[in-house]
Amino acid sequence: MWTDKQRGIRVSQQELLCKNACGYYGNPAWQGFCSKCWRERARPAADQRQDTRSTNDGTPLTFSKFEEKKSTEKGRRINTMRRLFWGNPSPPKRQESPESHANVLKAFQSLEPRDFPGFLKILRSPSSQRLQSRCTAFLNTMEAYHHLPVQKQSDLVQDFYQSFAEYFSTFPEAQVTQIMEHVEKLIMTRLHKWVFCHDSCDDEQKDLILQRRIRSLSWVTPQMLSVPFPDKQTPVTGDPFLPAITAIIEMDAKRAPQDKLACVSKCSQHVFEALSSSNSEPANADDFLSGLIYVVLKANPPRLHSNMQYVIRFGLPHSLMAGESGYYFTNLSCAVAFIEKLDGPALNLSPEEFDGYMLRQRAPAVRTKRLQIANDTQHLIQELQGRQEKLDQGMDALNMQLQEWVQAVHFQLDEATAQFALVQKEITAQTELSLDTSSSSSNASKQGANEEPSVLVLKDKQAGPKDTDC
């Protein structure tokens, strides 16, 4: 059972939503607003700065001039997008026929979910040449102007998403979302090397600061974060949050924002699984956030800040504003913000205890338990080694007995073979002797038979004269 202390981590569902009450998830990176509301607030501020610069020459800015400047700025943005799509400020003269447009829509309508190779095959077909030209022109222009500020590049990418989605305005929203996920993967896989951790921003420095901060908090235990953790942890099972740690580390190896979001979702699902296995009760939002903070502290993911900013700037807005991925990413942003501002009261520690841990003057009690587990493991290994030695000795003795038995069998076999040879010789001699005896007796009988007729002849000769006399 866990203590009933006041938790330092408590976030309600309302605190995760946008401050503008639009119903979407907010984000600490956008000061609590969703991406849509944040862009609507940021762009007027940029326009106001431009208006201020235009009035610095002392000329008053009238309403008519303001409208003229606004229309000019709008026309410039339209021309920029046309240049990105078609390579020319003016639209192409050859318009797409309704039949060709219908064929393209029909091909994309038959696209299976998450079939990115199928999407590429349709995009490269002759009927989709117009869409392919848009993507190619946009990619070439973005690579040519990769030195632009990263926020400007983010605006261009988001405008491209919006313009591309208008082509499928007749489709259901779910199908448009599916197609735009393929478009995002195609575009951002190509632009990743140009816009990720851009030189115009300080993402790299913030990555180092966050990495050092997480490393300095390596002493934080699950008990301090009120994370439901199994009391008895065997060396075989290990840390139940290990799959979640692996998933969040894999995020840096992905290129497309949706693939990075998939790693965040996978990590969050593993956190829920670990919490459900550690506690008989279902995990709530506070337990999930505590577990996610623990995973981030133990994983210390590489370039975490840059990866999150990359998803925020170049990901599809619907992926961050709503749905499962938006909820998980918002919690990850809250976890990072919590780590950056972590102090003693958040961990139910006094300021002196917190400073002692940070200065490595104190060690959490769980380390003693870990040492005990390590000693128990070492004793178990030694016991297993003793058993292995006894097993090896028994195997050696059994091997010796087996060899002796084989030698005895060979000796008995040789002896039996020799006796068999002697018996065979005796049988052969007796056979030859019996054959000799039988042959001699047959010869004697033949001689007796030959002598008997001669005796009878002699007897007849002797009896003959007597008969004559008579």
Side-chain angles (χ1 to χ4, degrees):
M1 297 298 295
W2 300 97
T3 59
D4 296 331
K5 293 183 179 180
Q6 179 67 27
R7 294 192 178 200
I9 307 170
R10 186 175 295 276
V11 179
S12 63
Q13 183 71 14
Q14 295 297 327
E15 293 175 342
L16 296 178
L17 297 178
C18 176
K19 289 183 178 180
N20 206 21
C22 63
Y24 295 114
Y25 289 115
N27 197 292
W30 297 319
Q31 299 179 5
F33 295 95
C34 66
S35 62
K36 182 179 179 181
C37 297
W38 174 253
R39 292 181 188 279
E40 291 177 354
R41 290 171 58 89
R43 285 182 177 177
D47 295 340
Q48 185 177 2
R49 287 194 299 269
Q50 292 180 357
D51 295 340
T52 304
R53 288 195 298 269
S54 57
T55 57
N56 286 338
D57 57 355
T59 304
L61 184 62
T62 62
F63 181 75
S64 60
K65 289 185 178 181
F66 175 77
E67 288 293 328
E68 180 181 358
K69 187 178 186 311
K70 185 176 180 181
S71 62
T72 303
E73 180 66 22
K74 182 178 180 181
R76 187 182 297 113
R77 290 178 61 85
I78 293 175
N79 291 334
T80 301
M81 294 307 300
R82 285 176 176 174
R83 187 180 295 108
L84 293 176
F85 287 154
W86 301 304
N88 195 330
S90 60
K93 296 181 180 179
R94 185 175 60 85
Q95 298 295 332
E96 187 179 21
S97 63
E99 183 180 357
S100 177
H101 182 71
N103 292 333
V104 174
L105 294 181
K106 185 177 180 181
F108 279 99
Q109 201 166 12
S110 62
L111 184 64
E112 296 292 334
R114 298 182 180 179
D115 186 10
F116 186 66
F119 168 78
L120 295 179
K121 184 177 180 180
I122 296 175
L123 189 64
R124 292 168 183 170
S125 62
S127 60
S128 304
Q129 185 176 3
R130 183 180 177 85
L131 294 178
Q132 184 182 5
S133 301
R134 283 188 177 188
C135 295
T136 304
F138 178 75
L139 288 172
N140 293 336
T141 305
M142 289 293 293
E143 290 183 2
Y145 293 95
H146 65 273
H147 59 277
L148 291 174
V150 67
Q151 190 57 45
K152 181 65 176 178
Q153 297 187 35
S154 174
D155 293 338
L156 292 176
V157 170
Q158 296 298 331
D159 291 340
F160 176 79
Y161 290 158
Q162 185 176 0
S163 177
F164 200 96
E166 291 176 356
Y167 189 86
F168 304 95
S169 58
T170 59
F171 281 17
E173 183 178 357
Q175 199 163 10
V176 176
T177 300
Q178 170 190 329
I179 295 174
M180 291 310 301
E181 287 178 352
H182 295 316
V183 174
E184 179 212 84
K185 190 169 186 176
L186 172 65
I187 297 298
M188 296 316 303
T189 301
R190 177 96 172 260
L191 296 180
H192 177 270
K193 63 180 180 180
W194 300 110
V195 300
F196 183 81
C197 201
H198 199 265
D199 295 337
S200 62
C201 58
D202 56 350
D203 289 345
E204 187 175 358
Q205 290 77 9
K206 290 184 178 180
D207 282 331
L208 295 175
I209 293 173
L210 181 59
Q211 197 170 25
R212 294 193 198 101
R213 175 66 173 174
I214 294 176
R215 192 181 298 117
S216 66
L217 295 171
S218 60
W219 49 269
V220 177
T221 64
Q223 290 77 13
M224 293 179 181
L225 295 171
S226 300
V227 179
F229 211 77
D231 295 332
K232 294 182 180 180
Q233 181 181 354
T234 62
V236 178
T237 57
D239 194 342
F241 292 93
L242 184 59
I245 294 173
T246 304
I248 196 67
I249 291 176
E250 291 176 353
M251 181 173 62
D252 187 57
K254 307 299 181 180
R255 292 189 176 184
Q258 59 177 291
D259 294 336
K260 294 182 182 293
L261 277 177
C263 292
V264 176
S265 300
K266 184 179 178 181
C267 168
S268 301
Q269 292 169 1
H270 284 307
V271 170
F272 274 112
E273 292 175 1
L275 292 174
S276 62
S277 63
S278 304
N279 194 1
S280 58
E281 299 178 357
N284 53 34
D286 293 335
D287 292 337
F288 168 66
L289 184 57
S290 301
L292 190 59
I293 292 171
Y294 172 75
V295 168
V296 174
L297 289 175
K298 294 305 174 184
N300 198 358
R303 300 189 293 185
L304 179 59
H305 176 80
S306 294
N307 281 292
M308 295 176 63
Q309 291 299 315
Y310 176 76
V311 173
I312 290 172
R313 292 166 183 156
F314 301 102
L316 293 173
H318 74 271
S319 300
L320 300 177
M321 294 191 305
E324 190 179 63
S325 60
Y327 175 77
Y328 291 150
F329 188 79
T330 301
N331 277 273
L332 178 61
S333 302
C334 294
V336 174
F338 177 85
I339 291 173
E340 292 175 342
K341 301 177 181 179
L342 185 62
D343 55 5
L347 299 176
N348 298 321
L349 298 175
S350 64
E352 293 77 12
E353 291 176 334
F354 182 81
D355 293 339
Y357 286 127
M358 293 296 292
L359 297 175
R360 298 294 189 272
Q361 296 176 356
R362 298 171 61 95
V366 71
R367 292 191 177 182
T368 306
K369 185 176 180 180
R370 289 179 180 175
L371 290 176
Q372 183 179 359
I373 294 175
N375 293 331
D376 295 340
T377 305
Q378 187 175 2
H379 290 313
L380 180 61
I381 292 174
Q382 292 177 355
E383 183 180 354
L384 291 176
Q385 288 178 349
R387 293 182 181 179
Q388 185 66 32
E389 291 177 357
K390 292 182 179 179
L391 182 62
D392 293 338
Q393 293 176 359
M395 290 178 62
D396 293 339
L398 182 62
N399 192 16
M400 291 293 296
Q401 293 177 2
L402 183 60
Q403 291 179 358
E404 293 176 356
W405 179 79
V406 171
Q407 291 178 358
V409 169
H410 283 301
F411 177 76
Q412 293 177 1
L413 183 62
D414 295 338
E415 193 176 34
T417 304
Q419 291 179 358
F420 177 75
L422 293 176
V423 172
Q424 190 176 14
K425 287 181 180 179
E426 292 179 358
I427 293 173
T428 304
Q430 291 179 0
T431 304
E432 292 177 353
L433 182 60
S434 62
L435 289 175
D436 293 341
T437 306
S438 60
S439 60
S440 60
S441 61
S442 61
N443 292 332
S445 61
K446 287 180 181 179
Q447 291 178 1
N450 293 331
E451 291 177 354
E452 186 176 357
S454 60
V455 173
L456 292 175
V457 171
L458 292 175
K459 288 181 179 181
D460 291 340
K461 289 180 177 180
Q462 293 176 1
K466 292 179 179 183
D467 293 338
T468 305
D469 294 336
C470 292

